[in-house]
Amino acid sequence: MSQHARWRRLAGLGARFLTVGAISTLIEIAVFNLLYLGLDVDVVWSKIVASLVALVNAYLGNREWTFRHRGGHRRSVEITLFVIVNAACTALGALLVWVGVEAASAALGREAGPIAVNVVNLASIVIIVVLRFLLYHYVVFRGVRERPAKHVASAGHGVVTDAAGPAEPAEPAQPH
């Protein structure tokens, strides 16, 4: 595969990943506001439930669309890795915001204001999105999914059967 083709494939993968992330973010905001504003649920519980709902959407969207061609793990291992990666990324994101706000406050000589805090938060989001993509790609949804094995009839009829579909003629053997 050429370098150009690899970059195009990676860009497509990245675009699907970002689309799933954007939809998950909208779901999280909607569920949070429904619970907190609509149903008067405690703010922390609203955040936890909304995050879990968004996390389920993120897993399904990434598993079935973004990384549908990948996944060398059993589903239970994949889900466990997904949860661990997301817990680690969430913790790292919080740490980056805390360190960034402390650094901004020290640099300003006063408590960081809303603009500085949002700049730090945005920077942490960019870092975490890149990290999460790499971890999904190389750890969670690692490897190529196995396809059902094809069997060649040994009776000399040259028919290939596939558990996923109907029989098709076998290609003739190529001389080496």
Side-chain angles (χ1 to χ4, degrees), residues 96-127:
L96 289 172
V97 167
W98 178 72
V99 168
V101 169
E102 290 297 316
S105 295
L108 294 170
R110 60 178 170 76
E111 189 174 319
I115 293 174
V117 170
N118 277 287
V119 167
V120 167
N121 188 42
L122 182 60
S124 77
I125 289 170
V126 169
I127 292 166

Side-chain angles (χ1 to χ4, degrees), residues 20 24 53-67 75 79 82 141:
V20 170
S24 296
V53 171
L55 189 65
V56 169
N57 179 76
Y59 175 77
L60 293 173
N62 282 301
R63 159 51 34 235
E64 301 303 328
W65 187 43
T66 307
F67 298 103
R75 188 61 58 113
I79 291 171
F82 185 84
F141 303 112

Side-chain angles (χ1 to χ4, degrees), residues 2 18 23 36 61 66 80 82 85 89 91 101 103 113 131 134 136 140 145 151 153 155 161 176:
S2 73
L18 291 174
I23 292 168
Y36 180 63
T66 307
T80 301
F82 185 84
V85 162
C89 286
V101 169
L131 178 63
L134 293 171
Y136 284 4
V140 178
R145 275 193 185 180
H151 305 282
T161 59
H176 290 95

Side-chain angles (χ1 to χ4, degrees), residues 4-149:
H4 178 71
R6 279 193 187 115
W7 280 110
R8 283 189 53 179
R9 187 169 162 256
L10 189 61
L13 200 62
R16 289 190 301 273
F17 173 78
L18 291 174
T19 300
V20 170
I23 292 168
S24 296
T25 300
L26 292 174
I27 288 171
E28 183 171 350
I29 291 167
V31 171
F32 175 81
N33 282 294
L34 172 70
L35 294 172
Y36 180 63
L37 299 174
L39 300 175
D40 201 30
V41 175
D42 175 72
V43 68
V44 173
W45 283 108
S46 296
K47 178 63 176 175
I48 291 168
V49 171
S51 295
L52 291 173
V53 171
L55 189 65
V56 169
N57 179 76
Y59 175 77
L60 293 173
N62 282 301
R63 159 51 34 235
E64 301 303 328
W65 187 43
T66 307
F67 298 103
R68 69 182 173 268
H69 62 286
R70 299 178 62 89
H73 299 297
R74 288 188 334 263
R75 188 61 58 113
S76 60
V77 172
E78 189 176 88
I79 291 171
T80 301
L81 288 170
F82 185 84
V83 169
I84 291 169
V85 162
N86 280 286
C89 286
T90 299
L92 180 59
L95 178 65
L96 289 172
V97 167
W98 178 72
V99 168
V101 169
E102 290 297 316
S105 295
L108 294 170
R110 60 178 170 76
E111 189 174 319
I115 293 174
V117 170
N118 277 287
V119 167
V120 167
N121 188 42
L122 182 60
S124 77
I125 289 170
V126 169
I127 292 166
I128 295 303
V129 163
V130 171
L131 178 63
R132 189 173 272 137
F133 176 79
L134 293 171
L135 289 170
Y136 284 4
H137 190 272
Y138 293 109
V139 177
V140 178
F141 303 112
R142 176 178 62 93
V144 177
R145 275 193 185 180
E146 291 183 21
R147 295 186 179 189

